[in-house]
Amino acid sequence: MEALLNFAGNFWWLIFPLGGVIGGAAKGVAAANERRAQRRLERYRIKQETKVALATAAAAAKQAEAKAAGQTNSEVNRREMTKVLARHDATDTRWLSYEIDVAKLLDFPLMTDVRDPLTLGFHKAKSRADLLRPAGVEDILSDRDAQLEYRDAVADYVGAFDVAEAEAVRRRRSDFSSEDQERLARASSLLRLASDDAATPQERRNAYGRARRELDGLIVLPAVTRAAIESKVIGEIEA
């Protein structure tokens, strides 16, 4: 300690230049610390901006994916409903052939006999499908529940028609007695005569009247079927 004091007493004049050196070194350390702090802040800022950019990009990608998925689902549903409507139309066409084709009607009378459970079930299924049918595909695309309900109704309609038709083909006129089958055959011939352009109006009118009497009590026809037959036969007579 005494030596240190002696040194300080003899070399006191070194305090001033050494003080400048020390002060400069301290300032250099402070500046270096400040630069390190700035670099840390800059790295933190870049890191946060990167996180925000990644989050924004991920959100945009997710939104785009959801939009694409929505468009894909909408297109899939549109194609499905288009097929369902076409299936509905095709079954209507099959049924219409029984309503307006007199020969076919009398060959397979079960198809228009609503007293039979299978025929009645088919008509009920048709009524439900018709009730749920949209005017067009676009009218049902916004409601998936309605799409599924209509799709199932058409499936029931087609299935019920297939079953009723298969049974009608199997049974044909077998449910009728020999006498009644003869009446059906005569009615079929008379209705063909009523539709024959080569016959006179009077012959056609008489044939239609006799055909109705032959069918009376044999087949209970739906109103739309009677209207279709009369429109075809009587309309041709009056024309």
Side-chain angles (χ1 to χ4, degrees), residues 162-177:
D162 287 342
V163 171
E165 185 178 47
E167 184 65 7
V169 171
R170 185 185 71 82
R171 287 161 59 178
R172 294 181 72 90
R173 300 177 182 175
S174 62
D175 291 343
F176 297 90
S177 65

Side-chain angles (χ1 to χ4, degrees), residues 20-99:
V21 172
I22 294 172
K27 289 180 180 180
V29 171
N33 290 337
E34 184 176 356
R35 286 193 299 271
R36 282 195 295 271
Q38 290 295 333
R39 285 195 295 270
R40 283 197 298 270
L41 288 175
E42 182 65 14
R43 286 195 297 270
Y44 178 78
R45 181 184 66 79
I46 293 173
K47 186 176 181 180
Q48 293 302 112
E49 288 179 351
T50 301
K51 286 182 178 180
V52 171
L54 290 174
T56 301
K62 188 174 182 180
Q63 185 177 8
E65 183 180 351
K67 183 178 180 181
Q71 291 174 342
T72 299
N73 289 338
S74 179
E75 188 58 35
V76 169
N77 292 342
R78 180 182 285 103
R79 288 196 296 269
E80 180 186 36
M81 288 300 103
T82 298
K83 290 180 181 179
V84 172
L85 283 167
R87 195 180 185 199
H88 193 160
D89 288 338
T91 309
D92 281 348
T93 299
R94 291 170 63 191
W95 162 237
L96 183 62
S97 69
Y98 288 96
E99 289 187 312

Side-chain angles (χ1 to χ4, degrees), residues 10-228:
N10 293 326
F11 298 98
W12 59 268
W13 50 273
L14 291 175
I15 294 176
F16 299 103
L18 288 176
V21 172
I22 294 172
K27 289 180 180 180
V29 171
N33 290 337
E34 184 176 356
R35 286 193 299 271
R36 282 195 295 271
Q38 290 295 333
R39 285 195 295 270
R40 283 197 298 270
L41 288 175
E42 182 65 14
R43 286 195 297 270
Y44 178 78
R45 181 184 66 79
I46 293 173
K47 186 176 181 180
Q48 293 302 112
E49 288 179 351
T50 301
K51 286 182 178 180
V52 171
L54 290 174
T56 301
K62 188 174 182 180
Q63 185 177 8
E65 183 180 351
K67 183 178 180 181
Q71 291 174 342
T72 299
N73 289 338
S74 179
E75 188 58 35
V76 169
N77 292 342
R78 180 182 285 103
R79 288 196 296 269
E80 180 186 36
M81 288 300 103
T82 298
K83 290 180 181 179
V84 172
L85 283 167
R87 195 180 185 199
H88 193 160
D89 288 338
T91 309
D92 281 348
T93 299
R94 291 170 63 191
W95 162 237
L96 183 62
S97 69
Y98 288 96
E99 289 187 312
I100 64 177
D101 187 333
V102 175
K104 192 173 183 179
L105 170 69
L106 297 182
D107 280 341
F108 308 105
L110 187 65
M111 287 301 294
T112 54
D113 188 353
V114 294
R115 295 171 299 182
D116 186 88
L118 293 179
T119 304
L120 181 61
F122 148 63
H123 281 285
K124 286 182 177 180
K126 173 176 169 53
S127 296
R128 176 167 173 75
D130 290 342
L131 179 65
L132 295 174
R133 178 178 182 139
V137 173
E138 300 299 328
D139 296 331
I140 201 172
L141 285 182
S142 61
D143 190 339
R144 185 56 180 164
D145 289 339
Q147 294 172 32
L148 296 177
E149 188 176 19
Y150 174 57
R151 183 195 66 187
D152 292 345
V154 170
D156 291 342
Y157 170 34
V158 175
F161 182 88
D162 287 342
V163 171
E165 185 178 47
E167 184 65 7
V169 171
R170 185 185 71 82
R171 287 161 59 178
R172 294 181 72 90
R173 300 177 182 175
S174 62
D175 291 343
F176 297 90
S177 65
S178 297
E179 181 182 351
D180 288 342
Q181 289 188 35
E182 290 177 0
R183 290 175 60 188
L184 287 172
R186 287 195 298 269
S188 180
S189 297
L190 289 167
L191 287 173
R192 281 196 295 270
L193 176 59
S195 301
D196 188 356
D197 292 335
T200 67
Q202 185 62 40
E203 288 174 332
R204 296 171 69 186
R205 188 176 294 109
N206 290 340
Y208 178 68
R210 290 173 58 194
R212 290 188 59 180
R213 288 192 292 273
E214 292 287 0
L215 292 175
D216 186 32
L218 290 181
I219 300 176
V220 179
L221 301 176
V224 65
T225 304
R226 293 197 302 271

